[in-house]
């Protein structure tokens, strides 16, 4: 138990594995041995322990019990620990097979770590958690990387963990069908992460080895170095400690913490230097003085409010005149402040003495900040104000926000329950939706999602909002955004009718916790058009889309474009793809024919022997300056020469507009004597270029001084002659 809190006497049940295993009962000198293994614990919660060590009886006494199910399983199967159960043995053997190592020898600990972490990571991914650099996604990534390091220690050169998922599904998929349903996603996620981490691991371990080589035997790693591993290579401190523990070393954790704090201090200083801290201070002062802003925008788009404060730059002022740009604070407002991906409202205000245009609305410290330009007369602090939200803008924003709820659910239906929102933008002119998923969506999946969303728009069902506790909301099937903070009460938005089991009647399609503004009925969205799907970051895809009139305009524009293409091709819509493909194939064939003719002209009408073949240091070498060809033509010409001559090193320089393109080729039998890369780099240097690269058999480069082609050939000959 902890130093304070509920406590009481306990009963612990141990299993004696026999005197052939070292160890004694609890409380003995040998209690650290493995002979006696605890399998069950019962705590009689009788008292509350306080800071001063005193005990007082609990008003509600209870019994807390816990049993290790896997430990019981090990005992029933005659094993000593969890890793000797049939479940773990199967995973350990799969790990051994994948790494070509002994499953139960001296490397068994590596297999145990891999098997254990395989289970946890697979279940997390199946539940929709994806690796990231924050929150639960970061925890997942750390677990993955620990297992992947142990695979590295087994000598694995290629990714391992994804290969083991099939065995896990075989062992546990019947009891947990979500594993089988998410198997492809789990495998893809593990593969992508392990490929990425192997590069990081190799660089990080090299840095670690370099640092250790110059340190006294047994000395701890400097905290600054451990922080560099974390900050630069993504090595968590515990992973570094794990690697060093095997070498009998530790880490200066105080130094690590100091380096971490130093970086945070630098970040804070950089932020402060932008003036942001000064800006923030005044809003907290105003919030203390006036209290938070009351939001009225769920029920109305017009309201009266008292102008509590006028802020110009970072100073509170008493008034503002026409042309001034200021930030305004009111006691209440119908303007929605930017939050949850929804942009802030625009609109106008009017007082007895002036008018203003509100361009944006944000929220700091509970205050709604109205960014405004005074358009007429003057504004004075304390005035009564008539506030009016731009209805057209608000309507477009509402439509775009509401459709993201339908889109989220449609994506889960099409791709799997692992899909979770990772970000969004709900603006008047467009929407953007980021979600967890590894692979690009197919055309069929995109079409299915678009059709599903439009089907629920056409239902034209009412969009309902309810206020309830977070627990009640989740019990109804509401989705919450991970990382968002929710209070004692949440706003639950429901839309669409479907037999999902969600909602009060089990017939709600989408139900989410959301504080934004929404349409009254799904039909108010009008139309949904998905315009693009692409990668946003690792494990995150991005959809961009339009609704309403913007969607209709987009589709009309595409239709007009298609009509123009139909006219040019003299083909109907359905025939356009085949017609375009035929033209592209024809163009490719003609381009190849033209390229071949250029090569033949450059080679003298097809003759391949117009340039002298020199034998240098036992290597047949042919070099030629070409006219009328491009750098793209050179590799094919070199391949032709290599094929016709059998054994040769070739250097071709194509000149045009004073510049030169260079390519070199070496037949396979000569690459141990000379590399095409070396030939190109020598030539390029003479031509005023830099670099050049490729493979020993074929390389390319370029230079800006074609007049030095002869010097370039001479430089290449010198390379062969060395």
């Amino acid at each position: 138990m902890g130093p304070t809190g509920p406590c009481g006497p306990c009963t612990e049940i141990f299993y004696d594995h026999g005197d052939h295993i070292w160890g004694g009962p609890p409380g003995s000198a040998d209690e650290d041995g493995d002979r006696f293994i605890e399998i069950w614990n019962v705590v009689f919660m009788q008292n509350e322990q306080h800071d001063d060590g005193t005990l007082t009886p609990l008003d509600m006494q209870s019994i807390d019990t816990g049993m290790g199910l896997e430990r019981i399983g090990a005992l029933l199967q005659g094993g000593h620990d969890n890793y000797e159960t049939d479940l773990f043995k199967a995973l350990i053997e799969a790990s051994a097979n994948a790494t070509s190592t002994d499953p139960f020898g001296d490397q068994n600990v590596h297999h145990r770590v891999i098997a254990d972490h395989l289970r946890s990571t697979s279940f997390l991914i199946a539940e929709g958690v994806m690796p990231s650099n924050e929150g639960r996604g970061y925890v997942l990534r750390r677990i993955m990387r620990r297992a992947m390091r142990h695979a590295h220690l087994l000598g694995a050169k290629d990714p391992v963990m994804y290969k083991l998922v099939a065995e896990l599904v075989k062992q546990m998929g019947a009891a947990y069908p979500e594993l089988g349903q998410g198997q492809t996603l789990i495998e893809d996620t593990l593969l992508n992460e392990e490929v990425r981490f192997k590069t990081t691991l190799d660089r990080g371990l090299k840095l670690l080895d370099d640092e250790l080589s110059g340190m006294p035997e047994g000395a701890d790693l400097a905290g600054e170095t451990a922080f560099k591993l974390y900050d630069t290579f993504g090595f968590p401190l515990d992973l570094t400690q794990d690697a060093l523990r095997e070498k009998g070393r530790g880490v200066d954790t105080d130094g690590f913490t100091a380096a971490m704090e130093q970086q945070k201090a630098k970040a804070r200083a950089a932020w402060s230097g932008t003036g942001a801290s000064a800006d923030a201070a005044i809003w907290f002062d105003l919030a203390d003085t006036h209290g938070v802003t009351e939001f009225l925008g769920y029920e109305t788009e017009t309201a009266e409010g008292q102008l509590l404060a006028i802020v110009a730059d970072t100073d509170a002022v008493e008034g503002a005149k026409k042309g001034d740009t200021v930030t305004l604070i009111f006691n209440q407002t119908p303007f929605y402040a930017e939050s949850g991906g929804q942009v802030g409202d625009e609109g106008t205000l009017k007082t007895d003495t002036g008018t203003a245009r509100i361009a944006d609305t944000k929220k700091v410290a509970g205050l709604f900040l109205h960014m405004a330009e005074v358009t007429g007369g003057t504004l004075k602090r304390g005035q009564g104000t008539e506030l009016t939200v731009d209805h057209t803008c608000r309507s477009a924003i509402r439509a775009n926000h509401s459709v993201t709820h339908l889109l989220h659910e449609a994506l889960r239906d099409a791709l799997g329950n692992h899909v979770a929102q990772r970000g969004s933008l709900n603006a008047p002119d467009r929407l953007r939706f980021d979600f967890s998923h590894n692979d690009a969506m197919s055309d069929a999946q995109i079409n299915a999602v678009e059709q599903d969303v439009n089907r629920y728009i056409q239902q034209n069902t009412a969009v309902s909002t309810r206020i309830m506790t977070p627990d009640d909301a989740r019990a109804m099937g509401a989705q919450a955004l991970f990382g968002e903070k929710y209070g004692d009460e949440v706003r639950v938005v429901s839309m669409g009718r479907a037999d999902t089991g969600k909602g009060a009647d089990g017939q709600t399609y989408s139900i989410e916790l959301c504080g934004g503004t929404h349409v009254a009925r799904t039909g108010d969205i009008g139309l949904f058009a998905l315009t693009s799907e692409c990668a946003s970051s690792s494990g995150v895809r991005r959809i961009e889309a339009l609704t309403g009139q913007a969607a209709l305009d987009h589709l009309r524009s595409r239709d007009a474009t298609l009509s123009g293409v139909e006219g040019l091709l003299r083909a109907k819509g359905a025939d356009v793809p085949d017609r375009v493909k035929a033209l592209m194939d024809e163009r490719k064939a003609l381009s190849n024919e033209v390229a071949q003719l250029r090569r033949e002209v450059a080679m003298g009408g097809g003759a391949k022997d117009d340039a002298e073949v020199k034998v240098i240091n036992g290597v047949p070498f042919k070099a030629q300056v070409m006219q009328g060809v491009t750098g793209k033509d050179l590799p094919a010409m070199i391949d032709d020469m290599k094929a016709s001559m059998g054994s040769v090193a070739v250097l071709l320089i194509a000149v045009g507009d004073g510049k030169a393109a260079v390519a070199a080729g070496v037949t396979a039998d000569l690459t141990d004597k000379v590399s095409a890369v070396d030939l190109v780099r020598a030539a390029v240097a003479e031509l005023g270029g830099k670099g050049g690269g490729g493979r020993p058999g074929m390389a390319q480069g370029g230079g800006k001084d074609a007049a030095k082609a002869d010097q370039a050939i001479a430089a290449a000959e010198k390379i062969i002659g060395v």
Side-chain angles (χ1 to χ4, degrees), residues 403-419:
V403 88
T404 61
H405 287 223
L406 298 177
L407 174 61
H408 193 181
E409 201 64 35
L411 286 167
R412 289 171 63 86
D413 287 344
L415 305 177
N417 290 333
H418 66 275
V419 169

Side-chain angles (χ1 to χ4, degrees), residues 224-236 256 259-260 263:
E224 290 183 0
T225 304
F227 179 75
K228 183 179 179 181
L229 281 167
Y230 164 77
D231 192 45
T232 306
F233 299 101
F235 263 48
F256 178 90
M260 176 76 80
Q263 188 193 60

Side-chain angles (χ1 to χ4, degrees), residues 84-85 174 217 263 349 414 418 428-429 513 602 642 649 676 706:
E84 295 180 11
T85 59
E217 189 69 26
Q263 188 193 60
L349 67 85
H418 66 275
D429 59 336
L513 308 186
K642 288 163 65 176

Side-chain angles (χ1 to χ4, degrees), residues 499-521:
D499 186 14
T500 61
K502 297 188 294 187
D505 59 358
Q507 297 294 311
T508 303
Y509 178 64
S510 168
I511 178 169
E512 294 189 17
L513 308 186
C514 181
T517 61
H518 290 276
V519 297
R521 306 185 71 85

Side-chain angles (χ1 to χ4, degrees), residues 55-118:
L55 298 174
T56 57
L58 288 169
D59 293 334
M60 297 185 65
Q61 299 183 352
S62 62
I63 297 175
D64 181 17
T65 183
M67 178 182 71
L69 289 175
E70 288 191 334
R71 293 188 182 188
I72 297 294
L75 294 179
L76 293 174
Q77 294 180 23
H80 185 261
D81 56 40
N82 301 354
Y83 297 104
E84 295 180 11
T85 59
D86 52 359
L87 169 61
F88 267 112
K89 281 183 177 178
L91 298 178
I92 287 170
E93 288 173 355
S95 173
N97 290 333
T99 55
S100 301
T101 54
D102 183 0
F104 303 109
D106 58 357
Q107 294 181 315
N108 178 245
V109 64
H110 302 309
H111 297 305
R112 289 185 171 196
V113 173
I114 292 170
D116 198 13
H117 290 4
L118 172 71

Side-chain angles (χ1 to χ4, degrees), residues 108-319:
N108 178 245
V109 64
H110 302 309
H111 297 305
R112 289 185 171 196
V113 173
I114 292 170
D116 198 13
H117 290 4
L118 172 71
R119 293 200 312 177
S120 56
T121 57
S122 296
F123 275 97
L124 284 168
I125 296 167
E127 289 296 324
V129 182
M130 300 299 287
S132 67
N133 289 327
E134 59 185 12
R136 59 182 180 176
Y138 182 57
V139 174
L140 170 61
R141 178 165 281 166
R142 289 176 66 178
I143 297 172
M144 283 182 173
R145 291 188 167 185
R146 182 180 291 273
M148 292 167 183
R149 193 184 76 82
H150 281 271
H152 176 83
L153 293 174
L154 286 169
K157 302 299 183 184
D158 299 313
V160 170
M161 289 187 67
Y162 81 100
K163 299 177 182 178
L164 312 181
V165 177
E167 183 62 33
L168 177 66
V169 173
K170 179 181 176 182
Q171 296 295 324
M172 305 187 73
Y176 302 96
E178 59 267 30
L179 285 176
Q181 296 165 1
Q183 181 173 347
T184 301
L185 175 68
I186 296 168
E187 290 173 342
D188 290 347
T189 303
L190 288 170
L191 175 60
N192 292 337
E193 280 293 311
E194 194 160 4
V195 168
R196 186 179 296 110
F197 183 57
K198 282 189 76 69
T199 303
T200 298
L201 183 66
D202 290 340
R203 290 185 298 176
L205 291 178
K206 185 179 184 303
L207 173 64
L208 189 59
D209 289 339
D210 290 344
E211 289 291 329
L212 294 178
S213 64
M215 292 171 53
E217 189 69 26
D220 289 348
L221 183 71
E224 290 183 0
T225 304
F227 179 75
K228 183 179 179 181
L229 281 167
Y230 164 77
D231 192 45
T232 306
F233 299 101
F235 263 48
L237 177 61
D238 59 348
L239 190 61
T240 302
Q241 290 173 315
D242 195 26
L244 289 172
R245 194 175 296 114
E246 298 165 1
K247 303 176 183 292
R249 297 175 182 264
V251 178
D252 174 16
T253 54
D254 291 340
F256 178 90
T257 303
M260 176 76 80
E261 290 301 320
Q262 186 177 10
Q263 188 193 60
K264 290 180 178 178
K266 289 180 180 178
R268 286 193 293 268
W271 181 74
S272 176
T274 66
S277 61
D279 291 348
I282 191 170
W283 308 130
F284 285 100
D285 291 342
L286 290 171
D288 288 340
T289 302
H290 302 291
V292 300
T293 308
E294 182 181 359
F295 178 58
L296 309 175
Y298 292 135
E299 292 79 27
T300 182
E301 294 178 4
T302 62
E304 293 182 351
Q306 183 183 10
L307 180 53
L308 300 177
I310 304 172
V311 179
D313 295 324
T314 59
D315 299 318
V317 297
E318 290 298 311

